[in-house]
Amino acid sequence: MSEERDSLFDFPCAFPLKIMGLADSALAQEVLAVVLRHAPDFDGATMCMRASSGGKYVSLTCTINATSRAQLDTLYRELSSHPLVKIVL
């Protein structure tokens, strides 16, 4: 069975990524750069940003057009290892 058939998703599909990090002016630009490397058709204007109630953290939601499990895995790995990013869901 192929990797694509083992997946819970039918690719391509709209896939929301939620990225959380400290409220830093560079976070959104850094996340956008990483997302565009892996999903070049992502429209940065659709990124949603929400500050935590205390203002210390920010969550970003990027809904990409996911084309494969490998694409998602690579994107998660790169985002998770970024120093400004705390959590990727």
Side-chain angles (χ1 to χ4, degrees):
M1 193 176 259
S2 76
E3 174 184 330
E4 301 303 322
R5 290 181 190 218
D6 287 339
S7 176
L8 298 173
F9 303 102
D10 289 325
F11 294 104
C13 65
F15 191 89
L17 294 162
K18 184 161 251 178
I19 302 104
M20 289 169 254
L22 290 172
D24 183 301
S25 60
L27 180 64
Q29 282 303 109
E30 293 288 325
V31 165
L32 180 59
V34 172
V35 170
L36 287 174
R37 267 198 293 281
H38 300 281
D41 60 341
F42 175 69
D43 179 1
T46 65
M47 180 188 295
C48 296
M49 181 183 288
R50 185 169 167 214
S52 65
S53 59
K56 184 175 179 180
Y57 298 97
V58 171
S59 73
L60 304 169
T61 303
C62 302
T63 302
I64 66 164
N65 181 36
T67 57
S68 70
R69 176 66 188 253
Q71 175 199 32
L72 290 175
D73 289 346
T74 305
L75 183 51
Y76 267 95
R77 265 194 303 276
E78 187 171 347
L79 284 169
S80 297
S81 66
H82 195 285
L84 293 177
V85 174
K86 297 297 179 195
I87 300 171
V88 180
L89 303 172

